[in-house]
Amino acid sequence: MSSDTGKRNAAREALKFVEEGSILGVGTGSTVNHFIDMLASEGPSIRGAVSSSDASTDRMRKLGIEILDLNSTGDLDLYVDGADESNRLLQLIKGGGGALTREKIVAGASKRFICIADHSKLVRALGEFPLPVEVIPMARSFVARQLKGLGGVPHWREGVTTDNGNQIIDVAGLTISEPIKLEDRINAIPGVVTVGLFARRGADVLLLGDENGVERLD
Ligand code: 5RP
């Protein structure tokens, strides 16, 4: 079961990685929202943040955190984001909040990725959480048929348009025994923008919070 205290504890621990005057990559979701709030109220002062979603951008702007464009910052030292699932290799499923494409870009452009989550997100094998796939709208049904061919049960997240103007398919029932292979395979389907498997570029540090504290996996 997901715990808000666990999310808060993980978010607070991540503040210790943030350096004064740095430019930070910031993810999306309820755990990251705690991180953003804590960064603004009790964190070190930073130069600015590269945001992974319009929602995080709005939240940070309201709290006085400057938003910077990745095209002008160069690579980032640190990215902080949540996850829907992680295995012990720190390979992740992300995209429950629909921000997977920008999240993957910012994670890819960052030297260190600190993932924050409540302890229930740690799993033995990825795939119980339906795997989000962002698709170009005209390719949705075609991509869904391809995903069925891979053994999954695709479900269109109807009514959701991503920040990039695309749609999301959530794929249940996949056995993800080889996350890197599956990530490559799904990314190769024409019309797929991004799959929410973060296996090629997983997290470097996973901070798992619960009611009692935080477990760190590297
Ligand atoms: C958004 C994400 C989030 O990191 C993921 O859904 C976890 O969210 P939360 O912190 O609310 O549990 O990938 O696209």
Side-chain angles (χ1 to χ4, degrees), residues 97-144:
L100 59 164
T101 297
R102 295 188 192 184
E103 291 174 340
K104 206 176 259 199
I105 293 167
V106 185
S110 299
K111 294 184 189 122
R112 206 165 183 214
F113 175 3
I114 311 293
C115 182
I116 53 176
D118 75 84
H119 214 289
S120 67
K121 304 285 183 76
L122 183 65
V123 295
R124 255 161 40 94
L126 299 173
E128 201 170 304
F129 189 92
L131 180 63
V133 181
E134 180 166 351
V135 296
I136 299 288
M138 73 162 283
R140 190 188 67 244
S141 299
F142 165 68
V143 172

Side-chain angles (χ1 to χ4, degrees), residues 7 14 22 34 44 131 160 174 179 192 204 209:
K7 292 179 186 189
S22 61
H34 289 312
L131 180 63
V160 170
L174 287 171
V192 168
D204 299 302

Side-chain angles (χ1 to χ4, degrees), residues 7 28-32 81-84 94-100 103 121:
K7 292 179 186 189
T28 301
S30 56
T31 317
V32 166
D81 196 1
D84 299 300
K94 292 186 46 52
L100 59 164
E103 291 174 340
K121 304 285 183 76

